[in-house]
Amino acid sequence: MLPSLLFVLPVSLHRAAAHTLGRGVTGLPRRALLVSQAGGRASAAVTQASAEAKAKPSSMDLNPPRGTRDFYPGGEVGGMGLRSWLFEQWRTVAAQHGFEEYDAPVLETEELYVRKAGEDVTNQLYSLEDRSGRRLALRPEMTPSLARMVLARRGGLPLPLKWFSIPQCWRYERTTRGRRREHFQWNLDIWGVEELTAEAELLHAAVSFMRRVGLTSADVGIKVSTRAVLAELLSKIGLPNERFAETCVLIDKLDKLPEEEVRQALLQQGLSDDGVSTLLSTLKLVDFATLEEAMGADSPALTDLKKVFSLADAYGLSDWLVLDISVVRGLAYYTGVVFEGFDRSGELRAIFGGGRYDKLLSTFGGDDLPAAGFGFGDAVIMELLESKKLLPDLPTSMVDAVVFAMNDELLPQAMQLASTLRAAGRNVDMVLQPKKTKWIFKHADRLDAKFVVLLAPQEAEKGLVRVKNLGEGTQIDVEFASIVSAVPAQCS
Amino acid sequence: MLPSLLFVLPVSLHRAAAHTLGRGVTGLPRRALLVSQAGGRASAAVTQASAEAKAKPSSMDLNPPRGTRDFYPGGEVGGMGLRSWLFEQWRTVAAQHGFEEYDAPVLETEELYVRKAGEDVTNQLYSLEDRSGRRLALRPEMTPSLARMVLARRGGLPLPLKWFSIPQCWRYERTTRGRRREHFQWNLDIWGVEELTAEAELLHAAVSFMRRVGLTSADVGIKVSTRAVLAELLSKIGLPNERFAETCVLIDKLDKLPEEEVRQALLQQGLSDDGVSTLLSTLKLVDFATLEEAMGADSPALTDLKKVFSLADAYGLSDWLVLDISVVRGLAYYTGVVFEGFDRSGELRAIFGGGRYDKLLSTFGGDDLPAAGFGFGDAVIMELLESKKLLPDLPTSMVDAVVFAMNDELLPQAMQLASTLRAAGRNVDMVLQPKKTKWIFKHADRLDAKFVVLLAPQEAEKGLVRVKNLGEGTQIDVEFASIVSAVPAQCS
């Protein structure tokens, strides 16, 4: 069954723990939880920022809208530095797996998301009507935009497609308990491959990323199932085919709602009491042997599922995979294999999730095309990396050198030097104000700059500029023309 | 005066030409213009995409919402490859100038944008009410979010700040003539520097970017003025101080509306007929000598403006700068120097724009802090680079090697090899389906991959794998264990 963490949290947080954005999952950081519990209505972000804002009275709320984040420069947790670092890891791993980047507007027509299966995604849209009366919505997930793009150029695109994107996704949640209303989500998708190799390839990419950032299969597991197992089970117990997607969405709620509540909902789908009991007990089986007993050794669904495990084994992923047929994922469009990355310590919610969705294009009026993909949110993974002390220690800035004129007359010459260094590819912070030398060195230190380039009157008269190497504690006076070689780039 | 191009376009396009998003400017590509003129109500993007969509009947509109763009993978114009390339140039130049990246939510409280000066930016918001009744809006520009962030941590941030961002900005326009409703905008801002060196630094960054992508001062000029000149002029002709910001927004419309219309609006601000005539004629002066005659040699505004030109000269920017006091920019919050990059051939609208806004924080209820910045949209610059044939020829993909198994039994071994190569940092496209060898080479060719790694039965039996170097037309058989050295990364 799904992780036990959900049942050790306070009852009032069950829904918070169930919050997923599209196929991936937004973070519910431990810290945010604590803050929320303490702070009542205030979200984590709000509480954090308002402490800083309190010093200065203001007529305007200085926080980002509830549930959203500002990204300040620098390497601290929640800052832009780590976000850029994460995106860079995602882009690198995507490239290593041959995926190409795409993007679509964050604002789409609302129609793209309106489905009938009772998914949270449809109920929690940020919608608006534009001035010409069109219904638009901020994307809650990327897959519908991707499907639209594929369908729009269907025929002109060489298959298979291996595409990725890092969209920001939006979802309006009623609760104010520290839940986020936006997150960034690494989306990898393969179109045009009906073979289960597509699923194996996706799992390999997810694991490659986790290995790259220092996680092991002792930290993270990936639950794998296929909706075909559910389809066989549900068909056996008499569920009409047209209720399948909707019923999957219900079953997905088993990790968020009390089992009894889900049981009642399943009964309302027309299932018998015995049928529901069979379903719920079978969902708890965790190995192929007992599953074969329950479903028959000739079950095509089980054969497929075994194949996924064997392909993943060839890719060296066995340690990461866990058989768990209770995994269904909350989106109605999945048709086959589904999977979900989870924190083995049971502290956090799902890390990523995805699966096969071979029938999505026909819901948009097109011919279907086999497809599989996953979404991997930025929040839970950052929380996990922080708890495992795997976040990188980023440099404060990328500045190589601080350039400074001792007086106003020397400013033009200093600016020329800064310009020369920049044209040569150096990262230069030009000091724009009259400052004391002490400030300059403190400033250079804060920026982690290796050099201070100092224009002083006596040296400048001789056509010389002073270059201090802060790392080595040395200094040299060089001619203006030699400035570039005196200030090598830090990264080279 | 502003570029003559506006007056050679059809009258119906005047408003299109006037379209600016925040401080920067969205593109009005020549091609889009032509398409729009031909296509009537359809925007360029719509027309383009629907041609492709027509082949397949669909119940859903496959285009992105009117005025927005999809970014497909690949290096073609309008694609994701060139967008990523542009962003990389922007980030590199920002780093060379010591700017640090930040970000804020694309969705902000509407209040952040509601000002009284009659700016288009306020009238063209994408607004929505969330489910708890909050008024929110998609950001039309980045500066208000930045000001909010600075104010929220005022006191905790070491000054000066040099921050940059590449936000997507949104603006609802009624017209359907190929105008975009979103664009990405490189924003550079300096906070805490009252000296004009801040403006010089910003201009240097903008020029560094343009030089980096191959543009020269023969291609692009930068009109520079200061609103202080206007303030002196307007004060002389009797405008009350509190009407200054609003009047600036009016004067900015001189390049978009007939002069007579602006004249009438100025008269309604309470100016005399003679006053307006003096103003309009002075705005046409283009050199410091005649300006001094008109405004007095002791004009503090002119002294400042000369200082900007002299600092820019020290930075080697003289060839790029043009004195033009009719430049005011359309945003009410500018208080000092304003500038605007323009295409010297007169074909395109403004390339970027910005200036000083020392009084913005007090409008949010905080203490003011000197600030200056600019916004540089992605659309016009791409159009300019395309017309100058300066767009880079990007590789089709970043794939180093295509890995392929000749039959299903060899697939696990091929997957192991792909996994090994990826773990070693290679970009590998694993072929996931049974394909003919001919297809593999065509596919590798399309991806610009240098190597094909081929698992064939006979070689595999001997523990060998075939590595074809497509660039050199050679092939070798290597042991599985030697695969990494046989496939060097393309970029190294």
Side-chain angles (χ1 to χ4, degrees), chain A residues 52-53 56-66 68-73 76 80 83-84 95-98 100-109 111-112 123-128 130-132 134 136 138 148-149 151-153 158-160 162-163 168 170 172 174 181 184 190 192-195 197-198 200-201 204 311 314-315 364-365 367 396-399 408 411-412 415-416 418-419 422 425-430 432-434 439 446, chain B residues 52-53 56-66 68-73 76 80 83-84 95-98 100-109 111-112 123-128 130-132 134 136 138 148-149 151-153 158-160 162-163 168 170 172 174 181 184 190 192-195 197-198 200-201 204 307 311 314-315 364-365 367 396-399 411-412 415-416 418-419 422 425-430 432-434 439 446:
Chain A
E52 284 145 0
K56 188 79 48 188
S58 164
S59 64
M60 176 177 277
D61 187 356
L62 299 179
N63 304 300
R66 181 163 294 180
T68 72
R69 294 169 289 174
D70 288 330
F71 292 88
Y72 282 85
E76 76 267 24
M80 191 67 193
R83 177 179 127 183
S84 300
Q96 282 173 1
H97 291 72
E100 301 178 282
E101 192 165 0
Y102 71 97
D103 198 12
V106 66
L107 194 64
E108 288 272 12
T109 56
E111 180 191 14
L112 202 57
N123 300 330
Q124 297 175 335
L125 284 178
Y126 270 97
S127 300
L128 64 97
D130 77 12
R131 289 166 198 231
S132 60
R134 280 184 202 82
L136 301 171
L138 292 182
R148 181 181 58 65
M149 286 175 68
L151 201 49
R153 294 206 179 169
L159 298 178
K162 293 170 78 176
W163 286 7
Q168 190 176 26
W170 292 79
Y172 184 81
R174 273 196 183 278
R181 290 176 177 169
F184 288 91
I190 300 175
V193 178
E194 61 186 1
E195 290 82 356
T197 45
E201 180 79 345
H204 191 271
L311 288 169
Y315 255 160
F364 292 167
D367 288 344
T396 318
S397 84
M398 294 169 67
V399 168
D408 229 34
L411 189 61
M415 291 168 77
Q416 281 166 28
S419 187
R422 286 164 173 170
R426 302 301 182 273
N427 295 342
V428 171
D429 184 45
M430 173 73 210
L432 302 171
Q433 297 164 290
W439 184 92
R446 190 186 69 77
Chain B
E52 284 143 0
K56 186 81 45 189
S58 163
S59 66
M60 178 176 276
D61 186 356
L62 300 178
N63 305 300
R66 180 163 296 179
T68 72
R69 295 169 288 175
D70 287 331
F71 292 89
Y72 282 84
E76 76 268 25
M80 191 67 192
R83 176 179 128 183
S84 300
Q96 283 173 1
H97 291 74
E100 301 177 281
E101 192 165 1
Y102 71 98
D103 197 11
V106 66
L107 193 64
E108 289 271 13
T109 56
E111 180 191 14
L112 201 58
N123 300 330
Q124 297 175 334
L125 285 179
Y126 270 99
S127 300
L128 63 96
D130 77 12
R131 289 166 198 230
S132 61
R134 280 185 202 82
L136 301 170
L138 292 182
R148 181 181 58 65
M149 286 175 68
L151 202 50
R153 294 207 179 170
L159 298 177
K162 293 169 80 176
W163 287 6
Q168 189 176 26
W170 292 79
Y172 184 82
R174 271 194 184 280
R181 291 176 176 170
F184 289 91
I190 300 174
V193 177
E194 62 186 1
E195 289 84 354
T197 44
E201 181 79 345
H204 191 270
K307 175 83 177 172
L311 288 169
Y315 257 160
F364 291 166
D367 288 345
T396 317
S397 84
M398 295 169 66
V399 168
L411 188 61
M415 289 168 78
Q416 281 165 26
S419 187
R422 286 164 175 170
R426 304 298 183 273
N427 295 341
V428 171
D429 185 45
M430 173 72 211
L432 303 172
Q433 298 164 288
W439 184 91
R446 191 187 66 77

Side-chain angles (χ1 to χ4, degrees), chain B residues 454-469:
Chain B
L454 203 145
L455 247 103
Q458 289 193 323
E459 287 77 16
E461 255 179 44
K462 301 180 217 153
L464 295 177
V465 53
R466 179 154 294 179
V467 178
K468 294 197 178 241
N469 184 324

